[in-house]
Amino acid sequence: MTGPKSAAARLHELLSRDGKITICPGVYDGLTARLALREGFDCLYVTGAGTAVSRLGMPDLGVITLNEMLENAAMIASLDRTVPVIADADTGYGGPIMVARTVKSYITAGIAAMHLEDQVQTKRCGHLAGKELVDEETFLSRIRAAVLAREEMRQTLGQDIVLIARTDALQQLGYSEACGRLRKAIEIGADVGFLEGPTSLDQCRQICIDLAPTPVLLNSVPGGATPHMTSQEAQQMGFKLIIYPGLALTAVYESTSAACAQLKGTGDMKVTERQKQEGVKGLFNAVGLVECVKFDKAAGGFAFAKGV
Ligand SMILES: C[C@](O)(C(=O)O)[C@H](CC(=O)O)C(=O)O
């Protein structure tokens, strides 16, 4: 009898599909994750930028700590254990010992994959100017620490995680240096390559060829360094994963700005057609109201016996 599949095993399965890309909407809290799950995506991406913006009200400048990121990603991973979650892990939050702690904590939280990069600790969004890098050996020591920590978890608990090596070296050192860093990370044991901020379609095509057969991730950031392409085009180029870190963040930024301006301007909150039809229950249903009431009843609770 085969047991239930782990998050990492589910992601490995998605990655092994021939010529097929996995689309990962970027989410950063319970609501955005639930909305993405409701659409039936195969995989979610927990954005570090979105976590910094939403939890701290601060930009993506390396201010999110391990525990804040872990708590957020763990909660999101717990919402539907059948859908693997890829989570940002920035620089690993310190030296090799800290990277190992990060990897073990992410594995224990049931996170399917994490990415580790070669920026300095005071990092910034990969699509901003003026990025600074650690030297190659320091980057590779982060990857090695991650691989060693994962091996310990495999041996002792049979638990796993997909390791994604990200390089930000393109901006400062050029394509061959960046590609070389990813190749070395893969030799050490990284499962997926992530070239941050390719600036041309040629670089996108080339990185898939140069890292093959290792799966490659594309980071789709509208208004960022990389030319826009559809997920179908990315699939044709050979990418196996595409993340949209700004998907929910941009929608909330724009719709909440408009709603605030409307209230400030008119002194009244606009009631949408949807709100009129669904009432307050619509939103709560989207985050599991019916399931919660059902669970309470199944456990013998009676708080909601008369309905909600
Ligand atoms: C992928 C990323 O690391 C993230 O935090 O989601 C960011 C995305 C962004 O800031 O738009 C990145 O550095 O690309």
Side-chain angles (χ1 to χ4, degrees), residues 101-242:
R101 207 183 139 209
T102 302
V103 170
K104 290 180 193 175
S105 314
Y106 275 41
I107 292 178
T108 304
I111 294 163
M114 55 181 275
H115 60 80
L116 281 171
E117 73 202 33
D118 55 0
Q119 287 198 58
V120 293
Q121 296 295 340
T122 47
K123 58 147 292 172
R124 66 195 66 186
C125 156
H127 293 257
L128 291 174
K131 289 189 282 185
E132 272 185 66
L133 302 168
V134 292
D135 59 37
E136 187 177 277
E137 271 320 306
T138 306
F139 172 50
L140 296 180
S141 74
R142 288 178 187 165
I143 301 295
R144 206 172 288 111
V147 170
L148 288 170
R150 174 178 63 180
E151 193 50 34
E152 189 185 322
M153 294 297 274
R154 279 180 178 165
Q155 298 294 330
T156 54
L157 297 169
Q159 292 179 352
D160 206 355
I161 195 161
V162 175
L163 293 174
I164 303 172
R166 159 174 160 174
T167 184
D168 286 73
L170 185 65
Q171 189 184 78
Q172 212 188 83
L173 303 177
Y175 179 84
S176 24
E177 187 75 25
C179 177
R181 284 184 174 213
L182 290 181
R183 276 199 172 130
K184 286 175 192 156
I186 290 161
E187 269 164 37
I188 288 173
D191 308 284
V192 177
F194 173 0
L195 176 69
E196 174 64 310
T199 52
S200 69
L201 294 177
D202 274 349
Q203 284 173 351
C204 292
R205 216 169 280 117
Q206 200 57 43
I207 196 67
C208 294
I209 295 169
D210 288 344
L211 298 185
T214 301
V216 184
L217 177 152
L218 180 67
N219 182 15
S220 181
V221 177
T226 306
H228 182 75
M229 69 185 96
T230 63
S231 62
Q232 292 88 343
E233 286 163 342
Q235 175 172 281
Q236 262 163 21
M237 274 189 189
F239 288 101
K240 296 304 291 282
L241 287 169
I242 182 165

